[in-house]
């Protein structure tokens, strides 16, 4: 499409110039009122992520957010903003599964229809790809090495990275390239990762600790305002909420939070909804703590017996462990994993 038509396309939608303008754009065009700030210490609002993404602050980013906290939706909103206001940008969506990729893409198409942007699509959008008349493009990728390799795009959004194959994640790190739009404005390349963290020592643990900018929000940061009709003292959330929901400005319904809290264990609640690192609740050795249980050889002599345990890995990785067995000074049997 020509420059004239591209200008008409966004004439009714001003390009946000700052964080306040971005929040207002989302409120006016997408009917979403995002919290101005996070409620918990060290946490943020989804608006902080959107501002970082749209205004292209330096570095890749990670969104570590609670289940149902809108992280996939925020990825769709960020994609829509870029498609509309950054002509020619190439965006790819890569989920932990094709179903997860389709979810973000589905949110994107729904937002476009609700905002009256459907007519801006060049040709006919498919179930995996759409192009706007200003030349911007988004496409869904499958969770495979061949799907990722060969891509040259400005933005890669990776949803539910905790479920990613590590080889695919590694290949994805090389697909982004910066470019300029038709007005000469630089579009800086970047990779954005979205997920909860629910696997002890999993991929999200590595990504969060890998130097990327982290945006984290839990259920209290995005919960709706609790009305006066609810008494704090008799509420099932009181021990953790402590009245924070009375100041809430988010979009997660209190009734839903109450229901979810009653269905899961405290461990699942803490890492899925409060964004605390997993506590090895699902590990074979549930009380394992690396700093306490991994140590150098203590000079206790040779074990009485060495046993090799093997898992042939028909459903996963092959594992072989050498176990040293002996008795301590009190006669108790000790078993150590040997490296």
């Amino acid at each position: 499409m020509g420059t004239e038509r591209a200008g008409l396309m966004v004439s009714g939608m001003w390009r946000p110039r700052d964080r306040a303008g971005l929040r207002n754009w989302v409120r006016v065009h997408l009917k979403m009122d995002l919290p101005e700030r996070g409620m918990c210490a060290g946490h943020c609002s989804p608006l902080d992520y959107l501002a970082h993404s749209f205004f292209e602050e330096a570095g890749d980013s990670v969104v570590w957010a609670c289940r149902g906290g809108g992280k996939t939706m925020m990825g769709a909103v960020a994609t829509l903003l870029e498609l509309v206001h950054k002509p020619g940008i190439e965006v790819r969506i890569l989920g932990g599964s094709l179903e997860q990729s389709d979810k973000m893409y589905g949110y994107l198409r729904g937002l476009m229809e609700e905002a009256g942007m459907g007519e801006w699509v060049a040709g006919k959008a498919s179930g995996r790809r759409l192009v706007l008349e200003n030349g911007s493009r988004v496409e869904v990728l499958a969770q495979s090495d061949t799907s990722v390799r060969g891509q040259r795009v400005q933005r890669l959004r990776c949803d539910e990275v905790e479920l990613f194959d590590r080889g695919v994640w590694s290949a994805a790190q090389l697909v982004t390239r910066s470019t300029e739009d038709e007005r000469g404005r630089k579009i800086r390349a970047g990779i954005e990762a979205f997920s909860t963290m629910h696997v002890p020592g999993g991929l999200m643990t590595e990504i969060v600790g890998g130097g990327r900018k982290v945006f984290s929000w839990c259920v209290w940061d995005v919960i709706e305002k609790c009305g006066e009709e609810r008494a704090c003292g008799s509420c099932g959330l009181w021990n953790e909420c402590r009245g924070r929901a009375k100041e809430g400005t988010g979009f997660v319904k209190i009734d839903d939070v109450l229901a979810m809290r009653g269905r899961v264990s405290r461990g699942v609640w803490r890492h899925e909804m409060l964004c605390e690192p997993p506590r090895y609740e699902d590990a074979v050795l549930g009380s394992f703590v690396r700093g306490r249980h991994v140590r150098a050889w203590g000079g206790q002599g040779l074990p009485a017996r060495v046993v090799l345990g093997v898992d042939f890995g028909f459903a996963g990785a092959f594992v072989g462990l050498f176990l040293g067995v002996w008795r301590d000074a009190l006669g108790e049997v000790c078993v150590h994993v040997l490296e």
Side-chain angles (χ1 to χ4, degrees):
M1 166 178 97
T3 304
E4 180 181 357
R5 174 63 177 141
L8 289 174
M9 193 182 83
V10 297
S11 63
M13 291 192 174
W14 70 95
R15 180 184 174 116
R17 301 298 179 186
D18 54 27
R19 190 175 186 276
L22 182 64
R23 187 186 188 202
N24 195 35
W25 193 98
V26 172
R27 179 191 294 119
V28 170
H29 296 295
L30 304 182
K31 306 300 185 289
M32 295 181 185
D33 196 4
L34 300 178
E36 176 63 32
R37 59 181 178 80
M39 299 287 287
C40 300
H43 286 183
C44 67
S45 162
L47 181 62
D48 294 304
Y49 154 69
L50 284 180
H52 172 91
S53 179
F54 185 72
F55 298 121
E56 298 179 352
E57 299 173 14
D60 297 336
S61 63
V62 185
V63 173
W64 175 14
C66 62
R67 292 278 294 275
K71 55 187 179 297
T72 300
M73 177 63 79
M74 290 303 104
V77 172
T79 301
L80 176 57
L81 280 159
E82 291 180 325
L83 293 177
V84 171
H85 294 293
K86 300 175 183 179
I89 191 172
E90 292 272 359
V91 181
R92 297 294 182 270
I93 298 171
L94 176 63
S97 65
L98 188 56
E99 181 181 2
Q100 193 66 37
S101 300
D102 287 342
K103 186 176 181 181
M104 184 180 290
Y105 182 70
Y107 282 153
L108 169 65
R109 293 190 63 176
L111 290 171
M112 292 185 66
E113 291 300 322
E114 291 176 13
M117 303 179 194
E119 63 182 22
W120 296 355
V121 176
K124 185 177 181 180
S126 73
R128 297 282 188 273
R129 172 177 172 271
L130 68 81
V131 181
L132 294 192
E133 291 186 342
N134 65 358
S136 59
R137 178 191 309 255
V138 61
E139 185 174 336
V140 172
L141 302 179
Q143 176 70 200
S144 71
D145 191 72
T146 54
S147 176
V148 170
R149 291 185 181 275
Q151 299 288 332
R152 295 292 180 268
V153 301
Q154 288 70 64
R155 195 76 71 244
L156 178 65
R157 294 199 161 90
C158 301
D159 200 13
E160 288 300 342
V161 297
E162 193 73 289
L163 304 178
F164 269 45
D165 175 89
R166 287 179 179 270
V168 173
W169 172 254
S170 179
Q173 304 312 297
L174 304 177
V175 307
T176 56
R177 299 289 187 275
S178 298
T179 188
E180 293 182 350
D181 67 16
E182 60 186 22
R183 299 180 182 179
R185 291 180 297 205
K186 184 174 182 179
I187 302 176
R188 183 176 296 149
I191 298 175
E192 298 175 358
F194 304 76
S195 195
T196 55
M197 185 188 294
H198 53 269
V199 178
L203 186 57
M204 262 295 281
T205 302
E206 297 177 14
I207 295 172
V208 167
R212 294 171 172 84
K213 178 73 173 178
V214 178
F215 297 93
S216 184
W217 61 83
C218 72
V219 65
W220 308 124
D221 301 305
V222 290
I223 198 166
E224 68 177 352
K225 182 176 179 60
C226 183
E228 295 301 322
E229 72 278 3
R230 295 181 186 268
C232 287
S234 60
C235 179
L237 300 173
W238 168 249
N239 288 337
E240 296 172 349
C241 172
R242 294 294 173 178
R244 279 178 288 194
K246 294 295 183 184
E247 305 298 324
T249 57
F251 45 82
V252 178
K253 301 299 182 184
I254 294 173
D255 287 337
D256 291 340
V257 177
L258 278 163
M260 288 187 288
R261 182 64 188 93
R263 298 181 190 130
V264 298
S265 68
R266 181 166 178 78
V268 171
W269 178 259
R270 292 176 75 91
H271 65 251
E272 294 275 10
M273 301 303 293
L274 303 185
C275 293
E276 296 183 10
R279 297 177 178 271
Y280 292 88
E281 183 177 83
D282 299 323
V284 174
L285 301 177
S287 61
F288 176 80
V289 178
R290 183 173 296 276
R292 181 188 306 165
H293 296 110
V294 177
R295 64 188 69 176
W297 181 251
Q300 297 172 298
L302 295 176
R305 189 160 47 121
V306 175
V307 179
L308 172 61
V310 175
D311 181 340
F312 288 98
F314 294 112
F318 174 91
V319 177
L321 295 178
F322 285 97
L323 308 174
V325 184
W326 64 88
R327 294 183 181 274
D328 64 12
L330 299 177
E332 297 290 335
V333 175
C334 299
V335 179
H336 284 202
V337 178
L338 307 177
E339 286 189 312

